[in-house]
Amino acid sequence: METALTAYLLSSASLTSLVGDRIAWSLRPQGFPSLTLQIVGGYPVDSGEGDSGLSSARLQADCYGKSSLQAKTLRDAVKTLLSGQQFTTGGVEFGVFTEDERELVGQEAGGIVVHRTSIDFLIWWATA
C-alpha cells in the first residue's frame, strides 16, 4: 500500500512542483517544503466469512514548510489529491477521506523554525 500511495503522489505534477521528490515515510526528507507519511492505526476488515481483503488505515500526512503559507499550500495540494477520492494505482484500490487536521510550529537543531500542518486521512484499501 505504501509503495502504491507514494507512486500516486509522485505522479501528480501539482504536488511534485512543490516538493520534488521530498516525500518519505516516517522520517522527514531534507529541504522544504516536504511531506512525511506514516500509518498511525488501522486494521483488516473481516466479513462473516473471514478476511475480506479490505484494510483500513489511519494515515498521518505531515506537510512541512519554511513558512505557514508554504506548509498550508502543500497541505491544500495533498488534500486535493487524496480527500474524498477513489483511485487505483500500483495494483491497489484506494478510498480516502479526511479525518482531522492540526497546525504546529517547532524548532529544529540550529534554531530553524519549521511550520507543519498535519492531516489524518482514513484510507480503505485492497489489492486490485
Side-chain angles (χ1 to χ4, degrees), residues 45-53:
V45 178
D46 292 329
S47 70
E49 299 171 5
D51 184 6
S52 68

Side-chain angles (χ1 to χ4, degrees), residues 57-80:
R58 184 177 177 130
L59 173 75
Q60 181 175 312
D62 293 315
C63 304
Y64 293 91
K66 286 183 178 180
S67 68
S68 178
L69 178 61
Q70 192 177 54
K72 288 176 181 179
T73 299
L74 178 54
R75 174 205 60 203
D76 293 345
V78 172
K79 281 178 66 175
T80 297

Side-chain angles (χ1 to χ4, degrees), residues 1-12 15-16 21 23-25 37 89 94:
M1 186 274 287
E2 290 90 345
T3 300
L5 185 58
T6 302
Y8 175 75
L9 293 171
L10 287 170
S11 73
S12 166
L15 185 61
T16 58
D21 64 352
I23 299 173
W25 288 83
L37 306 168
T89 186
F94 290 92

Side-chain angles (χ1 to χ4, degrees), residues 48-126:
E49 299 171 5
D51 184 6
S52 68
L54 181 66
S55 292
S56 169
R58 184 177 177 130
L59 173 75
Q60 181 175 312
D62 293 315
C63 304
Y64 293 91
K66 286 183 178 180
S67 68
S68 178
L69 178 61
Q70 192 177 54
K72 288 176 181 179
T73 299
L74 178 54
R75 174 205 60 203
D76 293 345
V78 172
K79 281 178 66 175
T80 297
L81 282 172
L82 295 178
S83 188
Q85 301 299 314
Q86 292 184 320
F87 55 92
T88 301
T89 186
V92 180
E93 296 177 46
F94 290 92
V96 185
F97 306 92
T98 300
E99 194 166 66
D100 192 23
E101 288 185 44
R102 297 164 297 287
E103 275 189 55
L104 307 147
V105 177
Q107 251 181 346
E108 291 187 343
I112 299 170
V113 174
V114 178
H115 296 265
R116 175 176 68 151
T117 59
S118 185
I119 313 164
D120 290 350
F121 294 103
L122 182 58
I123 297 180
W124 297 90
W125 64 275

